[in-house]
């Protein structure tokens, strides 16, 4: 089984790395030539274009940012539909709107290609270490055939349904929780700083309490060490994901009070610091209050 990854950013590069480690001949494509060069350095086979990639592989992961990009990769001129052989598997690991995934599935019906709707969770660390959680939706026989490449990039594969869009729906629900936890940590850190509590104390207490989880730990460590860029968790991704969650909630007529508030926190962070990572939202709140949280204590902003 030959595999490919389309989109070699923070997440896609991790997928490719772990496919290579697992022994798969792995092709890759990205419009960023620096990413392509890095991919080649760690043992991947760079494709000149999507058509070359598709005609050489049996399974292709699509790890792009938006549904429109996923559609272009699959249905655009020289895309995967034109190139891949019948029986090939397209695995959409990108987080997109459920209805966009359904539209992709509809477009693939007469192509002889199979689709796995499988967004992931675990962020940059999970992608690079091969420990992602996958929320996979497809008929069982397709998931069985795709299992080898999926197992190479993940620690846990949840079969969440058989219909296209169900994986994306579960991911949208998950992101309402993760976004809300992030936002609560951002605010709590500023409250602690204003009260003169050190970041190390907050980290130690929060991560060993009932509130302790990987989401809280990652947020706190980056905040108190003042790492707001280059951590592999760009704010645009969570901002986009929460937009998807709220869009789905509107369609389903479900109120999402916490996620809506979290969205405003991320919206403010993205406006003020568009190149930052998720944790940069804390800086926006800190600047309002005039104090910031460090590992060794709180400091006034001058």
């Amino acid at each position: 089984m030959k595999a490919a990854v389309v989109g070699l950013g923070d997440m896609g590069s991790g997928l490719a790395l772990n496919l290579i480690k697992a022994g798969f001949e792995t092709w890759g494509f990205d419009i960023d030539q620096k990413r392509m060069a890095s991919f080649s350095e760690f043992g991947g086979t760079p494709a000149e274009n999507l058509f070359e990639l598709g005609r050489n592989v049996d399974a292709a992961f699509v790890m792009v940012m938006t549904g429109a990009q996923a559609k272009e990769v699959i249905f655009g001129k020289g895309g995967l539909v034109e190139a891949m052989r019948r029986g090939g598997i397209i695995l959409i690991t990108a987080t997109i709107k459920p209805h966009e995934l359904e539209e992709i599935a509809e477009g693939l019906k007469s192509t002889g290609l199979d689709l796995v709707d499988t967004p992931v969770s675990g962020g940059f660390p999970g992608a690079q270490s091969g420990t992602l959680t996958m929320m996979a939706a497809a008929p069982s026989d397709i998931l069985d055939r795709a299992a080898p490449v999926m197992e190479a990039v993940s620690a846990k594969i949840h079969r969440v349904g058989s219909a296209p869009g169900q994986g994306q729906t579960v991911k949208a629900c998950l992101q309402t929780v993760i976004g809300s936890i992030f936002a609560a940590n951002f605010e709590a850190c500023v409250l602690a700083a204003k009260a003169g509590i050190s970041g190390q104390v907050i980290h130690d207490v929060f991560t060993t309490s009932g509130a302790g989880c990987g989401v809280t730990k990652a947020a706190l460590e980056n905040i108190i060490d003042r790492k707001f860029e280059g951590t592999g968790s760009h704010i645009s991704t969570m901002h986009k994901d929460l937009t998807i969650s709220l869009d789905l909630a509107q369609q389903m007529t479900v109120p999402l009070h916490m996620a809506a508030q979290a969205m405003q926190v991320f919206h403010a962070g993205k406006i003020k610091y568009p190149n930052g990572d998720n944790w940069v939202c804390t800086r926006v709140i800190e600047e309002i209050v005039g104090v910031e949280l460090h590992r060794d204590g709180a400091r006034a902003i001058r």
Side-chain angles (χ1 to χ4, degrees):
M1 199 174 198
K2 298 178 182 180
V5 180
V6 180
L8 298 169
D10 290 332
M11 300 297 290
S13 62
L15 296 180
L17 175 63
N18 285 290
L19 286 166
I20 292 166
K21 285 182 176 179
F24 291 98
E25 179 181 328
T26 304
W27 290 68
F29 180 77
D30 196 290
I31 58 174
D32 187 320
Q33 291 305 306
K34 290 183 178 178
R35 292 177 178 176
M36 290 284 279
S38 296
F39 169 69
S40 180
E41 287 173 4
F42 61 70
T45 303
E48 289 291 328
N49 49 53
L50 287 169
F51 190 84
E52 181 185 22
L53 177 146
R55 70 183 180 183
N56 280 289
V57 303
D58 307 296
F61 289 89
V62 177
M63 184 58 93
V64 293
M65 181 63 77
T66 68
Q69 291 171 345
K71 290 178 181 179
E72 181 62 24
V73 164
I74 296 168
F75 300 112
K77 183 175 175 58
L80 298 181
V81 163
E82 291 184 14
M84 292 183 74
R85 295 179 294 273
R86 294 183 67 86
I89 305 172
I90 296 174
L91 302 100
I92 299 185
T93 46
T95 298
I96 63 176
K97 295 177 180 179
H99 75 81
E100 292 173 320
L101 197 293
E102 292 168 1
E103 290 162 4
I104 290 171
E106 185 66 25
L108 288 174
K109 278 187 175 179
S110 61
T111 65
L113 298 177
D114 292 318
L115 178 68
V116 177
D117 169 18
T118 181
V120 301
S121 183
F124 178 75
Q128 297 297 316
S129 63
T131 58
L132 291 168
T133 295
M134 307 189 90
M135 292 147 267
S140 293
D141 62 320
I142 297 173
L143 290 175
D144 289 343
R145 287 198 298 115
V149 290
M150 295 174 70
E151 289 169 356
V153 302
S154 67
K156 184 66 178 179
I157 301 169
H158 294 282
R159 297 192 176 195
V160 300
S162 59
Q166 290 180 318
Q168 299 296 337
T169 297
V170 173
K171 178 65 183 288
C173 295
L174 176 63
Q175 293 304 81
T176 68
V177 177
I178 291 178
S180 299
I181 294 173
F182 274 149
N185 275 284
F186 303 155
E187 293 182 343
C189 283
V190 181
L191 178 61
K194 186 67 173 180
I197 306 297
S198 76
Q200 186 65 58
V201 167
I202 294 301
H203 175 277
D204 292 347
V205 172
F206 284 21
T207 58
T208 59
S209 73
C213 63
V215 174
T216 290
K217 186 174 186 292
L220 293 178
E221 288 181 350
N222 285 295
I223 291 166
I224 65 179
D225 286 334
R226 315 306 293 173
K227 295 179 179 178
F228 296 121
E229 291 187 18
T231 66
S233 297
H234 198 280
I235 193 170
S236 292
T237 302
M238 179 56 73
H239 186 275
K240 180 260 298 185
D241 288 359
L242 284 172
T243 300
I244 291 172
S245 300
L246 292 170
D247 179 74
L248 179 62
Q250 184 174 4
Q251 292 179 38
M252 298 288 105
T253 63
V254 175
L256 295 182
H257 300 293
M258 297 300 102
Q261 292 300 314
M263 179 63 178
Q264 292 307 308
V265 173
F266 280 92
H267 193 51
K270 187 172 183 287
I271 292 170
K272 185 69 183 290
Y273 296 106
N275 296 318
D277 291 346
N278 291 326
W279 349 108
V280 81
C281 296
T282 311
R283 291 187 66 185
V284 178
I285 308 171
E286 290 175 337
E287 288 162 5
I288 295 170
V289 177
V291 65
E292 58 189 32
L293 189 67
H294 291 251
R295 187 174 288 273
D296 59 358
R299 301 179 192 175
I301 298 175
R302 291 182 174 84

